[in-house]
Amino acid sequence: MRTLLGECMAAAYIQDETEFNTLLETELVFVVDCTATWCGPCKLIAPLIDQLAQEYGDRAKVLKLDLDANQPIAKRFGIRSIPAVMLFQQGELVETIVGAKPYEEFSNAVAKYLA
């Protein structure tokens, strides 16, 4: 059973490039899961990204980005395979994890940039 807090902490979707650019300017550390509704491996890691949002939500923004609706962002960062989880620190792309990976790989990456 999910708690109300758990529901609130699911990773939200970035709506558009304007919102994305604002995040680049304002967030110290943020994580973007590049995903698509038709992508099987993306569906596999979706609960892991939500878990990441729950664990790190107080220290880093964890968000999802539907690439079908935001193709300019995918082009801008050279995303060719999904799922791709991009980590940003002070507006700079510092790491991209491509493919379905275990939770620890995502968690360790976030922790590294929060240290």
Side-chain angles (χ1 to χ4, degrees), residues 89-101:
Q89 186 176 39
Q90 298 177 317
E92 295 294 318
L93 177 62
V94 289
E95 188 171 339
T96 304
I97 301 168
V98 178
K101 307 285 185 199

Side-chain angles (χ1 to χ4, degrees), residues 28-94:
L28 285 176
V29 175
F30 80 100
V31 179
V32 179
D33 171 26
C34 299
T35 186
T37 53
W38 48 263
C39 168
C42 297
K43 291 176 186 165
L44 285 176
I45 72 159
L48 305 182
I49 300 304
D50 291 340
Q51 185 181 344
L52 213 57
Q54 285 181 321
E55 186 174 344
Y56 292 101
D58 57 338
R59 294 169 285 160
K61 277 229 188 295
V62 178
L63 301 155
K64 295 178 183 179
L65 181 72
D66 182 338
L67 288 186
D68 287 333
N70 292 283
Q71 291 181 354
I73 297 173
K75 285 192 177 103
R76 186 165 141 196
F77 292 100
I79 301 300
R80 290 178 180 22
S81 300
I82 53 175
V85 177
M86 299 187 293
L87 290 95
F88 292 87
Q89 186 176 39
Q90 298 177 317
E92 295 294 318
L93 177 62
V94 289

